[in-house]
Amino acid sequence: MKRNILILLFAVFLLPSCRKVNDIPTSGTATINNNSHLDQTLQTYTYDGFLFSAGKLVSILDTPPPDITLINDGTLQNLILEADNLENSFFKVGQYSSASSAKNVFDTLTAPVVMQWVVWADSLKPNQVWLYKSGNEHYAKLRVVSLVSEARDSRNYAECTFEWVYQP
């Protein structure tokens, strides 16, 4: 009898600890760029974007594909975040004069009033705060930390580092 009680107690305490812990981050800092690379399996060129629901960079060929990718307008002057969902998905909260003021707005932003969503996060600049709306009504806020826009290997290279928080 004692043995059965001990086994039962052991099972009661052990089973709850066997649950899988959800390790998908809902915030962090990420860097995306427009570098293309050859997918060896499909023998096609692809590039990566950011998938908020997974909290990581993924290929545009993955399922699900990234929520956002970085493009430029063919010049070194204008970097753009593009959504995969073919909807108006971005809203610029504001452009701030310093990293500390942008960070303060980003950290305290909880219930924004959105006037009108737009197709792209256009004319990216450091210290901007943007909102992103996914195709299934999930939201993220982004703070542009830094940008790189330069010619590399005879291509217009673009890179964006951003802080993000996702509402799953």
Side-chain angles (χ1 to χ4, degrees):
M1 180 72 171
K2 281 185 179 182
R3 182 174 168 216
N4 289 343
I5 291 174
L6 286 174
I7 292 172
L8 181 62
L9 285 173
F10 181 75
V12 166
F13 288 108
L14 180 65
L15 290 177
S17 67
C18 292
R19 285 187 225 149
K20 183 178 178 185
V21 177
N22 187 1
D23 289 335
I24 298 173
T26 57
S27 65
T29 302
T31 301
I32 60 176
N33 63 50
N34 66 343
N35 263 352
S36 62
H37 52 276
L38 181 64
D39 181 296
Q40 295 294 338
T41 305
L42 299 174
Q43 291 298 303
T44 187
Y45 281 91
T46 184
Y47 57 96
D48 295 335
F50 193 78
L51 179 61
F52 290 106
S53 61
K56 65 180 183 178
L57 296 176
V58 297
S59 168
I60 60 168
L61 302 176
D62 285 350
T63 302
D67 291 313
I68 60 172
T69 54
L70 182 66
I71 60 173
N72 64 32
D73 65 354
T75 71
L76 295 173
Q77 306 303 313
N78 189 19
L79 300 185
I80 301 164
L81 288 177
E82 180 179 54
D84 181 58
N85 60 26
L86 304 175
E87 295 181 17
N88 291 345
S89 299
F90 295 96
F91 175 75
K92 185 163 73 171
V93 175
Q95 169 74 48
Y96 303 94
S97 59
S98 68
S100 61
S101 58
K103 176 89 169 127
N104 183 52
V105 168
F106 178 80
D107 289 343
T108 58
L109 182 64
T110 56
V113 175
V114 175
M115 299 300 186
Q116 184 171 352
W117 296 96
V118 295
V119 175
W120 300 301
D122 198 357
S123 301
L124 290 177
K125 303 280 186 255
N127 305 323
Q128 287 178 338
V129 175
W130 288 86
L131 297 177
Y132 166 78
K133 175 178 66 167
S134 73
N136 56 2
E137 299 295 318
H138 292 274
Y139 298 86
K141 60 182 179 178
L142 301 93
R143 178 178 67 92
V144 179
V145 175
S146 65
L147 298 168
V148 175
S149 182
E150 61 191 21
R152 285 191 187 174
D153 301 323
S154 69
R155 290 190 62 237
N156 289 341
Y157 174 78
E159 179 181 287
C160 177
T161 299
F162 58 94
E163 183 178 9
W164 61 278
V165 175
Y166 178 64
Q167 171 267 321

